[in-house]
Amino acid sequence: MCLAVPAKVININSPHAEVDIMGVHKEVNILLIDNPRVGDKVMVHAGFAINKIDDEYYNFLRDTLQNMLRDMP
């Protein structure tokens, strides 16, 4: 199973960006994203930002993942 996670771009040093994934900062490749900017919300899979997402979808996914983690035994 593959999983992409929502992230927020906090710094760009092309071809990479530092992103925040639920409080964890990671460096990801941004070559697949058109015109990436600080503050963009993106989906991250296997070290790559694979597409931009809007704020509403970002918040939905983040909240859903947080709820899933909270409910784990």
Side-chain angles (χ1 to χ4, degrees):
M1 178 172 84
C2 297
L3 178 68
V5 293
K8 181 177 180 180
V9 176
I10 55 176
N11 189 26
I12 295 177
N13 187 20
S14 197
H16 296 95
E18 181 181 0
V19 298
D20 181 324
I21 303 171
M22 297 172 56
V24 177
H25 291 196
K26 291 288 194 180
E27 184 176 86
V28 300
N29 186 295
I30 53 173
L31 289 176
L32 299 175
I33 303 295
D34 288 331
N35 196 25
R37 296 181 181 181
V38 171
D40 282 349
K41 311 304 191 305
V42 296
M43 293 299 291
V44 174
H45 174 69
F48 287 83
I50 56 175
N51 65 299
K52 290 184 184 181
I53 57 176
D54 63 31
D55 288 342
E56 182 179 356
Y57 191 48
Y58 169 83
N59 292 331
F60 168 76
L61 291 173
R62 183 199 59 214
D63 294 346
T64 299
L65 288 171
Q66 287 174 340
N67 289 335
M68 289 171 54
L69 292 170
R70 185 186 65 232
D71 293 340
M72 289 181 71

